[in-house]
Amino acid sequence: MQHQHPVSPVPAGSAAEAFESRHRRGENVRATLEVDLDRQLRFRAGALQLTDQRLLAWTPSGNADTPATDDAQFQEWPLSPALRLRLSDHAGLGLLELVDDSGRLALWRFTMQANLQAQRFQDAFNRRDEPALDQEAEPELCPSCQAVLPEDSEECPSCARELHTPPSTWVLLRLWRFARPYQGQLLLGFLLMLGATGATLVSPYLTMPLMDKVLIPFQQGQQIDPGLVALYLGGLLGAALVSWVLGWAKTYILALVSERIAADLRTATFDHLLGLSLEYFGSKRTGDLMSRIGSETDRISVFLSLHALDFITDCLMLLMITVILFSNNAWLALATLVPLPFIAWLIHLVRDRLRTGFEKIDRVWGEVTSVLADTIPGIRVVKAFAQERREAERFRTANKHNLVVNDRLNKTWSLFTPSVSLLTEIGLLVVWAFGIWLVAHSQITVGTLTAFLAYIGRFYGRLDSMSRIVSVTQKAASGAKRIFDILDHHSNVPEPAQPVTLDKVQGGLSLQDIGFRYGNRTVIRDLNLEIKPGEMIGLVGHSGSGKSTMVNLICRFYDVTEGAIKLDGVDLRRFKLSDYRRHIGLVLQEPFLFFGTIAENIAYGKPEATREEIVAAARAAHAHEFILRLPQGYDSLVGERGQGLSGGERQRISIARALLIDPRILIMDEATSAVDTETEKEIQKALDNLVRGRTTIAIAHRLSTLRKADRLVVMDRGEVVEVGPHDELIAKQGAYWRLWEAQARRVDAEEQDSVVVVAPNVNVHTATQA
């Protein structure tokens, strides 16, 4: 049996002070974990510490399942191969058990906020035999999730898993999938660009005869030929006009094409996003997804319409100028290329830094937009709890993080750009010096040198422009990568390869040995249930027992990890999702209404519905009267998320929305829990109309609302523990009876508390009960 030192009290104070007072000479700390719940699940601080010799625990009185004194407790267990730490969670609580071959030695509880730290502590415990790391340096934390950053790295693996991929510049080539429908326009734009680029090279070429045949002979005493001058100047003007016309045409055509490519990319991304399962959205923030579909596609559009065009133009210009220079004088052309290796080395040096830097900026900007996406829709709650300053601080922190990341990237970019300019200036000086030497030795004329300098000015200008495009290219590449991260994600609720036709639905459901896990946490295990067509089932149980998860599986928002759910004897996974869900009506505790008219919200599941059908559904939902009292009746605008309507009114509209599609299967999740008694009566009348003749699954914490259910299904920890009618389950005095009795006692206590109301400086009033 593992030896345990007896419990002994320690002086009051922090966990750090308690541990420090117990450390032995030469004892090194490996990891520390703070827990925040005691054995009665009350908030109370405690801590564990792992050293290279033992496991230490500091807990206030009653924090662990061990004997307690009136003072804080200190325990220790010498490390041995028999000691094991087990980490688990259930219903939002974390459990950490210390066990050996004889059984449990201690148990600590914590909220899921400490789950990540608990996992790291368990990992450190499992690696306790490995050599200890240097503990002197304070670990750097990720500003987003406070996770420890790896040594010599600025990236948080938890937040930036998407960043560690091959160089993302090549992801731009994947945009060809969206550009293929416009290849004709792209080819026309390329030909126009080729012509415009060639026209711009005519001007420097005509400077040679102007210098050698007009200006230099004039300085030597010859007369200027007006016709020759007019010919050369006319050529310069004509080349400028042709370049302008062709440049305008190709810019306009390619701008139209790029906008259409970006629009198709945006549409495809949103369509794909709608097809992903709820699990994907559970791990993403709304602001980040909005940023990807909005700003990232805009950035790609700008790159395609302007910068990609400029880059191709620059490449063509450099190629043409190089051919012209070598055709005139090869040695002078070689002198022109002296800065190129150094510029190429600089581009290679900063390219990856820019790529990762812009991906960081995109991710951090997603954090900024996420704060906005959280705060603006929840502004009522923000103001109700007077948390304006807190939300402003959240935004300020995210904005400051964005500023820090941008400053870090600008430090690199500010050094790169002037360096390229300096190298091009040095190259120009080399050409001047070598050109003067060639003129002095009569190997070239002054006109040739002048033309060379004109071409070189354009050559280095294009080279400098290309180096600047590196930044824009990496921005577009990081944006394209974030877009394709969505497009490459596959739903874990896939469509069947050969779907079964779903014509007529009876509504019988069969749950056969189903199991489901959220990650590594088991939520439902070995669940079996048969629901007959037209039967009403009530789901009851404590919070976290798996009721909502079971409903999500029936709706096929998630797929079961074990077993199968069958509709009329056919596995749900064999139906096309849209066909199956068309037969399901969903009424939630918090109904979601879209910005639009009342009629549009009722007809959301059946957009082609006539006004008569909409009114009939509203009448059945007991919503017709209050709708007519609105200024524009059914054409009254509903604010975002149903602003301007009461909770009961929103709920009745959602019931009308479910009635209109006439579903065979109805799911109700706490449909009346958030309204007053009078409103509940109205909603219950509407629900009676909705339930009639349909297979119904209702979740309710208020057990009295399920008295009309044919059967009640009692769930606990992901399992069905009781099934039967209300009276039968009450008579059994099992799990349902305990829930019923607990709720009855709570209702009685609330009624007694509401009889007498005591207010400061006010006489006692007897409350009248309706």
Side-chain angles (χ1 to χ4, degrees), residues 22 26 141 147 329 418 429 535 673 719:
R22 294 284 173 166
L141 300 180
N329 190 288
L429 290 176
E535 185 180 23
S673 65
E719 298 178 342

Side-chain angles (χ1 to χ4, degrees), residues 657-718:
R657 182 166 59 192
L659 275 166
L660 186 62
I661 65 172
D662 191 23
R664 291 300 307 150
I665 300 172
L666 177 65
I667 307 254
M668 297 188 297
D669 190 352
E670 297 288 348
T672 61
S673 65
V675 295
D676 58 80
T677 305
E678 290 299 322
T679 305
E680 182 184 356
K681 291 179 180 178
E682 291 294 322
I683 294 176
Q684 197 61 53
K685 293 177 185 177
L687 290 176
D688 291 341
N689 292 333
L690 184 58
V691 166
R692 192 175 298 121
R694 310 176 203 276
T695 303
T696 304
I697 302 171
I699 299 176
H701 286 293
R702 195 180 302 170
L703 302 181
S704 58
T705 61
L706 299 177
R707 293 289 297 271
K708 295 181 181 179
D710 298 310
R711 285 188 299 162
L712 298 174
V713 176
V714 186
M715 297 188 65
D716 184 41
R717 299 189 178 186

Side-chain angles (χ1 to χ4, degrees), residues 535-756:
E535 185 180 23
M536 181 177 180
I537 294 293
L539 289 182
V540 299
H542 294 292
S543 296
S545 60
K547 303 185 300 297
S548 295
T549 300
M550 192 172 101
V551 164
N552 287 333
L553 293 175
I554 292 174
C555 292
R556 215 186 160 209
F557 294 147
Y558 304 94
D559 269 344
V560 294
T561 52
E562 298 171 8
I565 301 177
K566 296 183 177 181
L567 172 65
D568 298 336
V570 182
D571 195 319
L572 297 186
R573 290 167 289 196
R574 300 186 60 191
F575 297 126
K576 191 176 179 181
L577 279 171
S578 57
D579 290 345
Y580 170 62
R581 289 177 182 161
R582 194 173 293 121
H583 296 281
I584 294 180
L586 196 59
V587 180
L588 302 174
Q589 179 180 0
E590 288 293 333
F592 187 95
L593 300 185
F594 296 91
F595 184 87
T597 65
I598 296 286
E600 289 170 345
N601 272 280
I602 294 176
Y604 184 77
K606 189 179 178 182
E608 71 279 5
T610 64
R611 180 55 63 96
E612 289 76 16
E613 290 175 319
I614 294 172
V615 172
R619 287 182 181 275
H622 291 257
H624 181 67
E625 292 184 2
F626 84 80
I627 292 175
L628 292 182
R629 289 196 296 267
L630 296 174
Q632 281 82 40
Y634 283 86
D635 294 321
S636 299
L637 278 175
V638 176
E640 187 176 9
R641 298 174 184 266
Q643 296 286 341
L645 296 178
S646 69
E649 290 169 343
R650 290 197 298 269
Q651 189 64 281
R652 278 177 277 175
I653 289 176
S654 74
I655 293 172
R657 182 166 59 192
L659 275 166
L660 186 62
I661 65 172
D662 191 23
R664 291 300 307 150
I665 300 172
L666 177 65
I667 307 254
M668 297 188 297
D669 190 352
E670 297 288 348
T672 61
S673 65
V675 295
D676 58 80
T677 305
E678 290 299 322
T679 305
E680 182 184 356
K681 291 179 180 178
E682 291 294 322
I683 294 176
Q684 197 61 53
K685 293 177 185 177
L687 290 176
D688 291 341
N689 292 333
L690 184 58
V691 166
R692 192 175 298 121
R694 310 176 203 276
T695 303
T696 304
I697 302 171
I699 299 176
H701 286 293
R702 195 180 302 170
L703 302 181
S704 58
T705 61
L706 299 177
R707 293 289 297 271
K708 295 181 181 179
D710 298 310
R711 285 188 299 162
L712 298 174
V713 176
V714 186
M715 297 188 65
D716 184 41
R717 299 189 178 186
E719 298 178 342
V720 173
V721 294
E722 285 183 344
V723 179
H726 169 80
D727 295 336
E728 179 181 315
L729 294 181
I730 290 293
K732 289 174 64 176
Q733 295 193 357
Y736 179 75
W737 177 80
R738 287 191 294 272
L739 288 171
W740 180 270
E741 287 295 311
Q743 192 166 104
R745 286 193 297 269
R746 185 165 62 249
V747 170
D748 291 341
E750 289 173 355
E751 290 177 351
Q752 291 177 7
D753 291 341
S754 63
V755 171
V756 179

